[in-house]
Amino acid sequence: VQLQASGGGLVQAGGSLRLSCAASGRTLSTTGMGWFRQAPGNEREFVAAISGGPIFEIYGDSVKGRFTMSRDNAKNTVYLQMNSLKPEDTAVYYCAARKGYSARSAASEYDYWGQGTLVTVSS
C-alpha cells in the first residue's frame, strides 16, 4: 500500500488549504483513513479520521469545526479541507491507512503511512 500526500504549502492565518492523499494497493472505500500532524519538537497529533463503508468521521479537539475530512471512492483519494487556519496548525501532515474499516484516533491503529506534506501558516 502506498499513500501519496500533497497539497501543503504556505498560507496566511485565516486562509484555507486542501490536502489530498491518493492511495494505491488498497481500496479506500473499505479502509479506515486518518490524518495526523507533527510540529517540530512535538509528538504526532491526531487530526481527523474517516471510516470505510458508511462514512463516519472523527476529529481532534483542536480542529473541530475548522477541518473536514472526506473521501472520493472513484479517485481512491481522501481529502482534508482546512479552513480558518492558525499559526499553531503549522506542521507536517501525514495520511495513514488501517487494515480495518473503522475510524480511529490512535496512531498505533494505523498500518500504512504516507510521506507527509508541510503546512505553514503565517501570522
Side-chain angles (χ1 to χ4, degrees):
V1 178
Q2 291 190 335
L3 303 174
Q4 182 70 41
S6 61
L10 174 64
V11 64
Q12 289 188 332
S16 299
L17 278 177
R18 188 178 79 157
L19 305 184
S20 301
C21 177
S24 59
R26 190 164 183 91
T27 301
L28 295 191
S29 62
T30 59
T31 299
M33 296 291 296
W35 285 98
F36 293 79
R37 67 187 182 186
Q38 189 166 18
N42 289 0
E43 295 185 352
R44 192 164 293 191
E45 177 189 9
F46 169 70
V47 176
I50 191 167
S51 62
I55 290 177
F56 179 75
E57 302 157 36
I58 54 175
Y59 295 92
D61 289 341
S62 61
V63 307
K64 281 181 182 176
R66 301 188 298 123
F67 291 11
T68 303
M69 187 171 182
S70 61
R71 188 179 73 217
D72 186 331
N73 292 339
K75 295 183 178 180
N76 216 37
T77 299
V78 294
Y79 303 96
L80 184 68
Q81 178 66 43
M82 306 186 294
N83 298 329
S84 302
L85 283 162
K86 304 175 182 180
E88 51 263 44
D89 294 318
T90 295
V92 176
Y93 284 71
Y94 299 89
C95 63
R98 303 186 63 239
K99 291 181 179 177
Y101 69 89
S102 58
R104 299 290 176 89
S105 60
S108 59
E109 299 273 6
Y110 289 81
D111 304 287
Y112 310 102
W113 291 83
Q115 85 289 359
T117 185
L118 176 63
V119 172
T120 303
V121 184
S122 63
S123 57

